[in-house]
Amino acid sequence: GQQVMQIPQYQHVQEGEDFTTYCNSSTTLSNIQWYKQRPGGHPVFLIQLVKSGEVKKQKRLTFQFGEAKKNSSLHITATQTTDVGTYFCAGPPNNAGNMLTFGGGTRLMVKP
Amino acid sequence: SQTIHQWPATLVQPVGSPLSLECTVEGTSNPNLYWYRQAAGRGLQLLFYSVGIGQISSEVPQNLSASRPQDRQFILSSKKLLLSDSGFYLCAWSAIYNSPLHFGNGTRLTVT
């Protein structure tokens, strides 16, 4: 079955440093979705990318979808303590009827 | 606007006791509904999803069951809880299949 892997599993950064998490799927995805879960909270949808090679920005966050639609990345510029949390990618494979599969998440910790 | 309600927020239950978690969605019709479980510090495991009243698909065989008695109501149940059922249970909805998910606040279940 489809597998979605995320690296790294954990990342400690100093406030102000940049952060990147990578998402890789074993199959081609019809879209890629990113979610953020604050400690003790529930996942919150951030963004969806659909097109091959698509890049979207949300303030300090930059999301990319690979040309082959099998990988994606989330880059945060100049991290802040409010960025703390776990970032999940998720994607449905191109085959119709298959369920959205989540990556294992990257837990970001920011030292002030 | 759409809202999702999930209760209770926390629950402590003895092994062998029954379970009933309820989730309701407001502001939308015929949503796709999902139950996920998250073990501490881990990723999201899809348990059940439903595309309509009375239609339930199970992703993981276990001692849990789900029901959808009304269009916007989704219930997770167990007749006898196991220690391994402890976790963070999240209900979610989406407008169409595999579109972005909107999660409830979750229920933290501890089986003792």
Side-chain angles (χ1 to χ4, degrees), chain A residues 4-6 19-22 28-29 32 34 40-41 43-45 52-53 62-63 71 80 85 90 94 98 103 108 110:
Chain A
V4 178
M5 308 295 291
Q6 265 186 271
F19 159 77
T20 304
T21 173
Y22 299 92
T28 304
L29 302 170
I32 190 80
W34 285 91
V44 174
F45 171 71
S52 169
T62 302
F63 304 83
N71 55 71
Q80 300 174 1
N94 266 336
N98 284 335
L108 172 64
V110 180

Side-chain angles (χ1 to χ4, degrees), chain B residues 5 9 12-14 19 29 32 37 39 43 46 63 65 71 75 77 79 81 83-84 91-92 94 103 105-106:
Chain B
H5 303 279
V12 180
Q13 293 284 102
L19 173 74
S29 296
N32 292 300
R37 178 169 62 196
L46 178 64
N63 68 321
S65 62
D71 181 43
I75 297 171
S77 303
K79 292 182 179 178
L81 285 168
L83 284 174
S84 58
C91 180
S94 67
F103 287 88
N105 289 336

